[in-house]
Amino acid sequence: MNNPDPARPVGFIGIGTMGAPMVRCLHRAGHPLMIHDIDTETARTVAAEVGAQQADSLAYVATACDVIILMLPNSAIVRAVIGAPQGDGLAAHLREGAVVVDMSSSDPMETRKIGQQLAAQGVVLLDAPVSGGLRKAVAGTLAILLGGDDSTTCERITPVLSAMGQVLRTGALGSGHATKALNNYVSAAGLAAACEAVIVGRAFGLSADVLVDAINASAGRNNSTENKLKQFILNESYAEAGFALDLMAKDVALAAALGDAMGQKLPGLSAARALWAQAREGLSPDADHTEIFRFLAEMPEQDTA
Protein backbone atom coordinates (compact mmCIF):
# COMPACT_ATOMS: atom_id res chain seq x y z
CA MET A 1 0.00 0.00 0.00
CA ASN A 2 1.34 3.45 -0.92
CA ASN A 3 1.81 6.11 1.74
CA PRO A 4 -0.05 9.43 1.49
CA ASP A 5 2.09 12.12 -0.15
CA PRO A 6 2.54 15.03 2.32
CA ALA A 7 3.07 17.43 -0.59
CA ARG A 8 -0.48 16.88 -1.85
CA PRO A 9 -3.27 18.98 -0.33
CA VAL A 10 -5.45 17.75 2.50
CA GLY A 11 -8.99 17.42 1.21
CA PHE A 12 -11.81 18.72 3.41
CA ILE A 13 -15.45 18.04 2.54
CA GLY A 14 -18.17 19.80 4.55
CA ILE A 15 -17.58 23.51 5.18
CA GLY A 16 -20.38 24.09 7.66
CA THR A 17 -20.59 25.58 11.15
CA MET A 18 -17.86 23.30 12.48
CA GLY A 19 -16.05 22.56 9.23
CA ALA A 20 -15.15 26.16 8.40
CA PRO A 21 -13.24 26.89 11.65
CA MET A 22 -11.57 23.48 11.44
CA VAL A 23 -10.33 24.38 7.96
CA ARG A 24 -8.95 27.63 9.36
CA CYS A 25 -7.05 25.68 12.01
CA LEU A 26 -5.51 23.42 9.37
CA HIS A 27 -4.52 26.52 7.40
CA ARG A 28 -2.87 28.10 10.44
CA ALA A 29 -0.87 24.90 10.92
CA GLY A 30 0.48 25.22 7.38
CA HIS A 31 -1.37 22.39 5.64
CA PRO A 32 -2.15 22.93 1.93
CA LEU A 33 -5.87 22.46 1.46
CA MET A 34 -8.51 21.55 -1.08
CA ILE A 35 -12.11 22.06 0.04
CA HIS A 36 -15.51 21.06 -1.28
CA ASP A 37 -19.10 21.67 -0.21
CA ILE A 38 -22.48 21.50 -1.94
CA ASP A 39 -22.82 25.15 -0.86
CA THR A 40 -20.36 26.38 -3.46
CA GLU A 41 -20.58 30.01 -2.36
CA THR A 42 -19.53 29.17 1.19
CA ALA A 43 -16.74 26.96 -0.11
CA ARG A 44 -15.57 29.76 -2.40
CA THR A 45 -15.54 32.28 0.45
CA VAL A 46 -13.60 30.04 2.85
CA ALA A 47 -11.20 28.94 0.11
CA ALA A 48 -10.38 32.55 -0.69
CA GLU A 49 -9.91 33.35 3.00
CA VAL A 50 -7.37 30.58 3.64
CA GLY A 51 -5.81 30.33 0.20
CA ALA A 52 -7.19 26.84 -0.40
CA GLN A 53 -8.14 25.25 -3.70
CA GLN A 54 -11.88 24.87 -4.23
CA ALA A 55 -12.88 21.58 -5.85
CA ASP A 56 -16.01 21.54 -7.96
CA SER A 57 -16.47 17.77 -7.67
CA LEU A 58 -15.85 14.85 -5.34
CA ALA A 59 -13.89 13.16 -8.11
CA TYR A 60 -11.41 16.03 -8.21
CA VAL A 61 -10.86 15.87 -4.45
CA ALA A 62 -10.29 12.11 -4.65
CA THR A 63 -7.75 12.36 -7.45
CA ALA A 64 -5.87 15.34 -5.98
CA CYS A 65 -5.69 14.33 -2.29
CA ASP A 66 -4.27 11.38 -0.40
CA VAL A 67 -5.84 12.46 2.91
CA ILE A 68 -9.51 13.49 2.85
CA ILE A 69 -11.45 14.70 5.88
CA LEU A 70 -15.24 14.50 6.02
CA MET A 71 -17.27 16.78 8.30
CA LEU A 72 -20.85 15.95 7.34
CA PRO A 73 -24.26 15.81 9.05
CA ASN A 74 -24.79 12.04 9.27
CA SER A 75 -23.86 8.56 8.04
CA ALA A 76 -26.32 8.63 5.15
CA ILE A 77 -24.57 11.66 3.68
CA VAL A 78 -21.14 10.14 4.39
CA ARG A 79 -22.24 7.02 2.51
CA ALA A 80 -23.49 9.12 -0.42
CA VAL A 81 -20.24 11.14 -0.58
CA ILE A 82 -18.07 8.03 -0.55
CA GLY A 83 -20.33 6.22 -3.01
CA ALA A 84 -19.68 2.93 -4.75
CA PRO A 85 -16.44 1.91 -6.49
CA GLN A 86 -18.11 2.50 -9.87
CA GLY A 87 -20.16 5.56 -8.87
CA ASP A 88 -19.78 9.33 -8.75
CA GLY A 89 -18.47 9.60 -5.19
CA LEU A 90 -14.99 9.48 -3.73
CA ALA A 91 -14.62 5.69 -3.86
CA ALA A 92 -14.56 5.55 -7.65
CA HIS A 93 -11.55 7.85 -7.81
CA LEU A 94 -9.46 7.27 -4.66
CA ARG A 95 -6.01 5.86 -5.23
CA GLU A 96 -4.64 2.92 -3.27
CA GLY A 97 -3.10 4.11 -0.02
CA ALA A 98 -5.44 7.07 0.42
CA VAL A 99 -6.84 7.83 3.88
CA VAL A 100 -10.40 9.02 4.52
CA VAL A 101 -11.07 10.49 7.98
CA ASP A 102 -14.74 10.73 8.95
CA MET A 103 -14.96 13.47 11.57
CA SER A 104 -18.77 13.54 11.37
CA SER A 105 -20.97 12.20 14.18
CA SER A 106 -21.76 8.98 12.35
CA ASP A 107 -23.32 5.62 13.12
CA PRO A 108 -20.46 3.35 14.30
CA MET A 109 -22.02 0.24 12.76
CA GLU A 110 -22.30 1.97 9.37
CA THR A 111 -18.72 3.24 9.75
CA ARG A 112 -17.47 -0.33 9.99
CA LYS A 113 -19.39 -1.31 6.84
CA ILE A 114 -17.94 1.62 4.88
CA GLY A 115 -14.49 0.77 6.22
CA GLN A 116 -14.77 -2.75 4.84
CA GLN A 117 -15.77 -1.41 1.42
CA LEU A 118 -12.83 0.99 1.27
CA ALA A 119 -10.36 -1.56 2.60
CA ALA A 120 -11.17 -3.77 -0.37
CA GLN A 121 -9.91 -0.90 -2.56
CA GLY A 122 -6.73 -0.42 -0.52
CA VAL A 123 -8.11 2.73 1.14
CA VAL A 124 -8.00 3.26 4.91
CA LEU A 125 -11.01 4.71 6.73
CA LEU A 126 -10.53 6.29 10.16
CA ASP A 127 -13.26 7.76 12.36
CA ALA A 128 -12.42 10.88 14.32
CA PRO A 129 -15.53 12.69 15.58
CA VAL A 130 -15.07 15.78 17.70
CA SER A 131 -16.40 17.12 20.98
CA GLY A 132 -16.25 20.67 22.27
CA GLY A 133 -18.60 22.71 20.10
CA LEU A 134 -18.07 25.80 18.00
CA ARG A 135 -15.88 27.74 20.42
CA LYS A 136 -13.34 24.94 20.66
CA ALA A 137 -13.46 24.43 16.90
CA VAL A 138 -12.49 28.08 16.46
CA ALA A 139 -9.73 27.82 19.07
CA GLY A 140 -8.40 24.52 17.72
CA THR A 141 -8.93 22.79 21.07
CA LEU A 142 -11.49 20.14 20.16
CA ALA A 143 -11.37 16.67 21.67
CA ILE A 144 -10.80 14.39 18.67
CA LEU A 145 -11.77 10.74 19.22
CA LEU A 146 -9.68 8.71 16.78
CA GLY A 147 -10.63 5.15 15.89
CA GLY A 148 -8.96 2.93 13.33
CA ASP A 149 -7.75 -0.57 12.61
CA ASP A 150 -4.39 0.53 11.18
CA SER A 151 -2.20 1.89 13.99
CA THR A 152 0.48 3.11 11.60
CA THR A 153 -2.04 5.18 9.64
CA CYS A 154 -3.48 6.56 12.88
CA GLU A 155 0.00 7.69 13.91
CA ARG A 156 0.67 9.26 10.51
CA ILE A 157 -2.60 11.17 10.52
CA THR A 158 -2.35 12.44 14.12
CA PRO A 159 -0.18 15.50 13.28
CA VAL A 160 -2.85 16.66 10.81
CA LEU A 161 -5.67 16.15 13.29
CA SER A 162 -3.67 17.82 16.08
CA ALA A 163 -4.00 21.12 14.25
CA MET A 164 -7.68 21.05 15.25
CA GLY A 165 -7.43 19.75 18.83
CA GLN A 166 -6.25 17.04 21.17
CA VAL A 167 -6.31 13.53 19.70
CA LEU A 168 -7.44 10.64 21.88
CA ARG A 169 -7.09 7.11 20.48
CA THR A 170 -10.26 5.15 21.22
CA GLY A 171 -9.57 1.78 19.59
CA ALA A 172 -10.64 0.00 16.40
CA LEU A 173 -12.63 1.49 13.52
CA GLY A 174 -16.00 2.74 14.73
CA SER A 175 -14.82 3.25 18.30
CA GLY A 176 -14.53 7.00 17.85
CA HIS A 177 -18.10 7.29 16.66
CA ALA A 178 -19.33 4.97 19.42
CA THR A 179 -17.46 6.99 22.05
CA LYS A 180 -18.84 10.27 20.71
CA ALA A 181 -22.44 9.02 20.73
CA LEU A 182 -22.15 7.63 24.24
CA ASN A 183 -20.45 10.79 25.50
CA ASN A 184 -23.24 12.93 24.10
CA TYR A 185 -25.85 10.66 25.65
CA VAL A 186 -24.24 11.28 29.06
CA SER A 187 -24.07 15.01 28.32
CA ALA A 188 -27.71 15.12 27.18
CA ALA A 189 -28.91 13.17 30.22
CA GLY A 190 -26.95 15.45 32.55
CA LEU A 191 -28.34 18.57 30.88
CA ALA A 192 -31.93 17.35 31.11
CA ALA A 193 -31.49 16.42 34.78
CA ALA A 194 -29.96 19.82 35.55
CA CYS A 195 -32.83 21.61 33.81
CA GLU A 196 -35.43 19.56 35.68
CA ALA A 197 -33.71 20.35 38.99
CA VAL A 198 -33.94 24.08 38.28
CA ILE A 199 -37.59 23.82 37.21
CA VAL A 200 -38.55 21.96 40.40
CA GLY A 201 -36.41 24.25 42.55
CA ARG A 202 -38.05 27.37 41.18
CA ALA A 203 -41.50 25.90 41.76
CA PHE A 204 -40.51 25.32 45.40
CA GLY A 205 -39.29 28.91 45.70
CA LEU A 206 -35.55 28.38 45.47
CA SER A 207 -33.29 30.89 43.75
CA ALA A 208 -32.04 29.27 40.54
CA ASP A 209 -28.66 30.97 40.94
CA VAL A 210 -28.25 29.71 44.49
CA LEU A 211 -29.37 26.22 43.52
CA VAL A 212 -26.81 26.08 40.69
CA ASP A 213 -24.07 27.29 43.03
CA ALA A 214 -25.05 24.62 45.55
CA ILE A 215 -25.02 21.87 42.93
CA ASN A 216 -21.62 22.99 41.67
CA ALA A 217 -20.26 22.82 45.22
CA SER A 218 -21.76 19.37 45.68
CA ALA A 219 -21.93 15.92 44.16
CA GLY A 220 -24.47 16.83 41.49
CA ARG A 221 -22.22 19.09 39.44
CA ASN A 222 -21.67 18.21 35.79
CA ASN A 223 -20.66 19.94 32.59
CA SER A 224 -24.12 21.47 32.18
CA THR A 225 -24.38 22.83 35.72
CA GLU A 226 -20.90 24.32 35.44
CA ASN A 227 -20.92 25.60 31.86
CA LYS A 228 -24.49 25.95 30.58
CA LEU A 229 -27.09 26.82 33.23
CA LYS A 230 -25.91 30.30 34.18
CA GLN A 231 -24.09 31.00 30.93
CA PHE A 232 -26.93 30.26 28.48
CA ILE A 233 -30.09 28.96 30.15
CA LEU A 234 -30.94 31.16 33.13
CA ASN A 235 -30.22 34.30 31.08
CA GLU A 236 -32.06 32.80 28.06
CA SER A 237 -29.15 33.35 25.64
CA TYR A 238 -29.62 29.82 24.35
CA ALA A 239 -28.36 30.30 20.81
CA GLU A 240 -24.95 31.45 22.02
CA ALA A 241 -24.20 27.94 23.29
CA GLY A 242 -23.62 26.96 19.66
CA PHE A 243 -24.77 23.33 19.39
CA ALA A 244 -28.03 22.43 17.68
CA LEU A 245 -30.68 20.48 19.56
CA ASP A 246 -31.22 18.48 16.39
CA LEU A 247 -27.61 17.26 16.52
CA MET A 248 -27.88 16.33 20.20
CA ALA A 249 -31.06 14.38 19.52
CA LYS A 250 -29.32 12.61 16.64
CA ASP A 251 -26.35 11.63 18.83
CA VAL A 252 -28.58 10.36 21.62
CA ALA A 253 -30.49 8.29 19.06
CA LEU A 254 -27.18 6.88 17.78
CA ALA A 255 -26.19 5.90 21.32
CA ALA A 256 -29.52 4.18 21.89
CA ALA A 257 -29.32 2.42 18.53
CA LEU A 258 -25.84 1.19 19.44
CA GLY A 259 -27.25 -0.18 22.69
CA ASP A 260 -29.99 -1.93 20.73
CA ALA A 261 -27.44 -3.43 18.33
CA MET A 262 -25.39 -4.70 21.28
CA GLY A 263 -28.49 -6.25 22.87
CA GLN A 264 -28.47 -3.62 25.64
CA LYS A 265 -31.93 -2.03 25.67
CA LEU A 266 -31.34 0.11 28.74
CA PRO A 267 -34.05 2.32 30.29
CA GLY A 268 -32.00 5.50 30.56
CA LEU A 269 -30.97 5.36 26.92
CA SER A 270 -34.53 4.66 25.81
CA ALA A 271 -35.95 7.49 27.90
CA ALA A 272 -33.33 9.97 26.69
CA ARG A 273 -33.93 9.01 23.06
CA ALA A 274 -37.67 9.60 23.48
CA LEU A 275 -37.26 12.90 25.36
CA TRP A 276 -34.82 14.46 22.89
CA ALA A 277 -36.89 13.27 19.93
CA GLN A 278 -39.95 14.96 21.46
CA ALA A 279 -37.98 18.16 22.04
CA ARG A 280 -36.77 18.16 18.44
CA GLU A 281 -40.38 17.90 17.27
CA GLY A 282 -41.65 20.47 19.76
CA LEU A 283 -39.10 23.23 19.20
CA SER A 284 -38.04 25.19 16.14
CA PRO A 285 -35.70 23.49 13.66
CA ASP A 286 -32.86 25.86 14.55
CA ALA A 287 -33.20 25.46 18.34
CA ASP A 288 -30.01 25.16 20.38
CA HIS A 289 -29.62 22.11 22.60
CA THR A 290 -29.85 24.28 25.73
CA GLU A 291 -33.46 25.03 24.77
CA ILE A 292 -34.34 21.62 26.18
CA PHE A 293 -34.95 23.75 29.30
CA ARG A 294 -37.76 25.64 27.55
CA PHE A 295 -39.26 22.42 26.29
CA LEU A 296 -39.26 20.86 29.77
CA ALA A 297 -40.52 24.01 31.48
CA GLU A 298 -43.43 24.35 29.07
CA MET A 299 -44.49 20.70 29.01
CA PRO A 300 -48.10 20.23 30.07
CA GLU A 301 -48.52 18.68 33.50
CA GLN A 302 -48.56 14.92 33.19
CA ASP A 303 -51.50 12.99 34.60
CA THR A 304 -49.94 10.29 36.79
CA ALA A 305 -53.17 9.20 38.51
Side-chain angles (χ1 to χ4, degrees):
M1 181 179 290
N2 298 317
N3 289 330
D5 183 350
R8 288 155 69 90
V10 174
F12 200 107
I13 299 173
I15 317 300
T17 301
M18 294 288 287
M22 292 165 71
V23 163
R24 295 184 184 106
C25 289
L26 288 167
H27 168 67
R28 288 197 298 268
H31 295 288
L33 296 165
M34 176 177 288
I35 65 176
H36 174 79
D37 196 279
I38 57 171
D39 183 344
T40 56
E41 189 58 39
T42 295
R44 185 178 299 112
T45 299
V46 175
E49 176 188 341
V50 302
Q53 301 176 63
Q54 181 191 0
D56 293 330
S57 69
L58 295 171
Y60 193 65
V61 178
T63 55
C65 305
D66 290 340
V67 175
I68 300 173
I69 294 170
L70 309 180
M71 191 63 180
L72 300 167
N74 54 52
S75 286
I77 296 175
V78 170
R79 169 66 77 179
V81 165
I82 289 177
Q86 293 79 33
D88 297 328
L90 295 175
H93 305 279
L94 290 165
R95 77 174 189 129
E96 183 179 358
V99 180
V100 177
V101 186
D102 183 10
M103 302 189 76
S104 320
S105 293
S106 297
D107 179 341
M109 306 303 288
E110 181 68 7
T111 296
R112 288 183 171 179
K113 293 177 184 177
I114 295 172
Q116 290 173 352
Q117 172 198 326
L118 292 179
Q121 300 178 230
V123 175
V124 176
L125 177 66
L126 305 177
D127 58 317
V130 303
S131 181
L134 179 59
R135 289 184 302 284
K136 290 195 174 185
V138 171
T141 57
L142 292 164
I144 300 172
L145 309 171
L146 175 60
D149 295 332
D150 187 325
S151 295
T152 301
T153 302
C154 287
E155 291 172 5
R156 280 205 312 268
I157 209 69
T158 293
V160 176
L161 300 180
S162 294
M164 298 173 281
Q166 180 179 3
V167 179
L168 173 66
R169 286 293 307 278
T170 55
L173 181 64
S175 64
H177 286 146
T179 301
K180 169 67 183 292
L182 294 169
N183 171 77
N184 276 19
Y185 158 61
V186 173
S187 176
L191 174 57
C195 290
E196 289 178 345
V198 169
I199 292 166
V200 173
R202 278 180 167 172
F204 184 77
L206 298 179
S207 160
D209 285 323
V210 171
L211 176 59
V212 173
D213 289 342
I215 292 172
N216 284 332
S218 306
R221 68 184 182 278
N222 61 35
N223 179 57
S224 294
T225 65
E226 291 182 329
N227 299 308
K228 297 178 185 179
L229 285 179
K230 285 191 175 183
Q231 293 85 344
F232 307 112
I233 293 174
L234 298 186
N235 61 15
E236 299 183 353
S237 62
Y238 305 108
E240 295 178 15
F243 185 66
L245 187 142
D246 181 70
L247 294 178
M248 183 66 93
K250 181 198 75 172
D251 289 346
V252 172
L254 285 175
L258 179 61
D260 293 344
M262 297 297 102
Q264 304 294 322
K265 297 182 182 294
L266 299 170
L269 274 168
S270 298
R273 172 167 49 188
L275 171 63
W276 284 86
Q278 290 168 6
R280 179 170 52 190
E281 292 299 319
L283 295 171
S284 64
D286 59 350
D288 187 83
H289 74 298
T290 52
E291 292 184 67
I292 189 73
F293 180 86
R294 287 202 306 109
F295 176 77
L296 291 167
E298 296 167 7
M299 287 181 73
E301 184 176 347
Q302 299 295 308
D303 182 3
T304 59

